[in-house]
Amino acid sequence: NRLVLKDFISIAVFKVIYIVATFIIGMPLAFLVLVTYLMYPFVTAIFTGVIGMFFLAKVQKPFALFIFIVLSGAIMTIMGHTIIVFLHSLIVGILAEVTRKALGYKTLKGNIACYSVLSLDLVGSFWEIFLMKEQYYNMMTQSVGKVRADQAMALPMWIMAILYASCVVGAIMGGFLGAKILKKHFVK
C-alpha cells in the first residue's frame, strides 16, 4: 500500500487547488482588519472542507496526508515565512498521519477528524508573532503597514488556543459540508 506516481500527482494537484483556495479566502481576511485576520483559520477551514475531504477520499495511503501538509509549510517558508511555519507543518503532519492510522482511511468520522487536524496547519503562521517577533514584525510592516503590525504584536499568547479551537470548529463544519457535497455529486 505504498505511494506511487499517480498518488504523488494527486497530492500535487490537490495541494495546488488547496493553496489557491486558501489564498483566495485568506487574502481579503488578512488585509481588512485584525479581527478578520484572526478569523482566517476558521473561515478557511470551512470553505476548504470540500477540497480536504475529496483529497482524503481520493488518496487513502500512508504518508499522503503528511506530504500534503508539509508541502504547505515548505512553500510558505520558501515564500518568506520563518522556519516556525515549516516546523509547525511537520508536527501537524505527524499528528494527522497518526490520527488517520488510528481512525481508519475510509470512515467518515476518521476523514473529518483528519481534516480537522490537517486544518490546524492554518494556525502555524500565527506562532511567528510570539516566537519570531522581529522577523514577523518586519514582514507585517512591509505587507500591511505599521499600525496592523503593532496590533498583531500586541496579541496575547492565549489567542493561540482560540485560534486552534476555532479552526477545529470550522474544520468540522467544513468536513461535514465536504462530505455532503461528495456524497451528492460523487457517490453513485
Side-chain angles (χ1 to χ4, degrees), residues 26 59 162 177:
V59 186
I162 293 171
L177 174 67

Side-chain angles (χ1 to χ4, degrees), residues 153-183:
M153 298 313 289
L155 287 170
M157 178 75 108
W158 55 260
I159 200 76
M160 294 304 294
I162 293 171
L163 291 172
Y164 280 114
S166 69
C167 186
V168 169
V169 170
I172 291 168
M173 293 166 63
F176 279 111
L177 174 67
K180 186 174 185 175
I181 289 173
L182 286 175
K183 185 175 182 183

Side-chain angles (χ1 to χ4, degrees), residues 34-186:
L34 186 62
V35 173
T36 59
Y37 178 57
L38 295 173
M39 291 173 51
Y40 164 73
F42 172 75
V43 174
T44 304
I46 292 171
F47 288 106
T48 57
V50 175
I51 300 163
M53 293 299 286
F54 193 24
F55 170 74
L56 291 168
K58 178 86 172 143
V59 186
Q60 299 182 343
K61 292 186 179 172
F63 300 108
L65 184 55
F66 176 80
I67 294 167
F68 183 85
I69 294 169
V70 171
L71 278 173
S72 293
I75 291 167
M76 287 180 70
T77 302
I78 289 168
M79 292 177 66
H81 281 273
T82 67
I83 193 71
I84 296 297
V85 176
F86 180 71
L87 295 174
H88 184 266
S89 291
L90 283 173
I91 293 166
V92 170
I94 292 167
L95 288 172
E97 276 298 325
V98 169
T99 303
R100 195 146 201 216
K101 180 84 171 162
L103 298 178
Y105 289 82
K106 297 184 181 194
T107 67
L108 177 62
K109 180 175 93 172
N111 282 344
I112 290 174
C114 287
Y115 176 66
S116 296
V117 176
L118 177 160
S119 295
L120 295 176
D121 197 42
L122 297 167
V123 182
S125 62
F126 289 91
W127 279 110
E128 295 173 309
I129 297 169
F130 306 104
L131 301 176
M132 305 292 276
K133 287 180 182 274
E134 189 174 320
Q135 284 178 278
Y136 189 78
Y137 183 78
N138 293 335
M139 184 177 65
M140 285 288 285
T141 303
Q142 290 175 2
S143 62
V144 293
K146 185 179 180 340
V147 173
R148 279 286 305 288
D150 290 338
Q151 291 172 339
M153 298 313 289
L155 287 170
M157 178 75 108
W158 55 260
I159 200 76
M160 294 304 294
I162 293 171
L163 291 172
Y164 280 114
S166 69
C167 186
V168 169
V169 170
I172 291 168
M173 293 166 63
F176 279 111
L177 174 67
K180 186 174 185 175
I181 289 173
L182 286 175
K183 185 175 182 183
K184 181 177 181 182
H185 293 290
F186 296 104

